[in-house]
Amino acid sequence: NAGVTQTPKFQVLKTGQSMTLQCAQDMNHEYMSWYRQDPGMGLRLIHYSVGAGITDQGEVPNGYNVSRSTTEDFPLRLLSAAPSQTSVYFCASGLAGTWNEQFFGPGTRLTVL
Amino acid sequence: KNEVEQSPQNLTAQEGEFITINCSYSVGISALHWLQQHPGGGIVSLFMLSSGKKKHGRLIATINIQEKHSSLHITASHPRDSAVYICAVRSGSRDDKIIFGKGTRLHILP
């Protein structure tokens, strides 16, 4: 199993550009989520999904869109990048329900100029 | 006020010392996670707790549901334990969100 994979690992964008951060898992996990990690802020939830076709907003959803057309994939879209979106982005997955371990991807470091 | 508070924010200790990292939370939870983030950035799950105590090697995690408090202990600390340790709680409400603390940066000196 590859676990949770994220692409790209690094990305530099100009303000106003759009892009999609990819996240995929091969563990048949229902729960998938996107976080951003900023210095001094800890991990903050952007969007999450409890299954294919179901998504919901987290703590900091503005400027980001998600979709969940399959169990495996949970892409994060930046429609018009802003410097405030410079961060490290982590995708995670786990089985739905209370006691299940979360598996994290390796992260994507995004810089918006 | 953050829903999940960790202390201390930073901790430097000598190799072999007993380490304690604390986590307090203010929301109803269904589970609490302790995570480790290495300097390279990767995040791994150490423990999930709903009650009592769990032990894995030199790591021990405890939780007191009534006091809304958890501790992570490291016995016989080693430089390879140097990392950021993150407490996260899983919401007990219908939205099933995970809320993270800001992390404790641990540095073990040889």
Side-chain angles (χ1 to χ4, degrees):
Chain A
N1 286 351
V4 181
T5 58
Q6 288 184 240
T7 56
K9 290 188 178 179
F10 302 94
Q11 182 71 48
V12 179
L13 292 177
K14 294 181 179 177
T15 297
Q17 285 185 314
S18 63
M19 80 159 296
T20 299
L21 306 185
Q22 301 291 346
C23 175
Q25 52 90 10
D26 59 0
M27 297 173 280
N28 203 32
H29 287 165
E30 300 98 335
Y31 189 98
M32 296 186 74
S33 49
W34 276 102
Y35 304 90
R36 58 178 291 173
Q37 187 177 41
D38 302 296
M41 296 293 293
L43 287 154
R44 291 184 292 169
L45 179 65
I46 304 171
H47 286 284
Y48 67 103
S49 168
V50 297
I54 306 169
T55 63
D56 208 345
Q57 295 181 350
E59 181 185 356
V60 288
N62 292 341
Y64 308 95
N65 282 348
V66 292
S67 60
R68 186 94 180 268
S69 56
T70 66
T71 299
E72 295 78 17
D73 300 298
F74 191 44
L76 179 72
R77 296 184 187 86
L78 285 70
L79 298 179
S80 179
S84 61
Q85 294 178 303
T86 295
S87 188
V88 181
Y89 291 85
F90 287 95
C91 177
S93 76
L95 293 171
T98 301
W99 311 123
N100 296 297
E101 181 180 357
Q102 294 294 300
F103 296 84
F104 286 81
T108 294
R109 186 174 294 273
L110 176 67
T111 301
V112 183
L113 302 175
Chain B
K1 186 180 186 297
N2 294 328
E3 293 167 303
V4 180
E5 296 274 2
Q6 287 187 237
S7 62
Q9 291 183 346
N10 296 284
L11 178 58
T12 299
Q14 291 293 139
E15 181 174 357
E17 286 190 36
F18 181 82
I19 303 299
T20 295
I21 299 170
N22 296 299
C23 175
S24 296
Y25 53 92
S26 58
V27 295
I29 70 166
S30 57
L32 183 142
H33 299 246
W34 280 103
L35 307 165
Q36 181 189 55
Q37 185 171 28
H38 279 286
I43 301 173
V44 295
S45 178
L46 298 175
F47 293 104
M48 286 184 301
L49 294 167
S50 60
S51 63
K53 177 176 166 178
K54 285 192 175 180
K55 184 175 188 292
H56 185 250
R58 295 181 294 106
L59 300 177
I60 304 166
T62 64
I63 188 169
N64 185 316
I65 296 293
Q66 286 74 28
E67 295 186 3
K68 294 188 174 180
H69 181 268
S70 175
S71 293
L72 176 68
H73 306 285
I74 304 174
T75 62
S77 59
H78 190 276
R80 65 175 174 265
D81 298 325
S82 298
V84 176
Y85 292 85
I86 302 169
C87 172
V89 299
R90 193 150 186 176
S91 168
S93 62
R94 285 177 54 202
D95 58 15
D96 199 23
K97 293 179 182 175
I98 297 178
I99 307 165
F100 293 82
K102 293 183 180 181
T104 294
R105 186 174 298 277
L106 175 65
H107 186 43
I108 304 296
L109 300 171

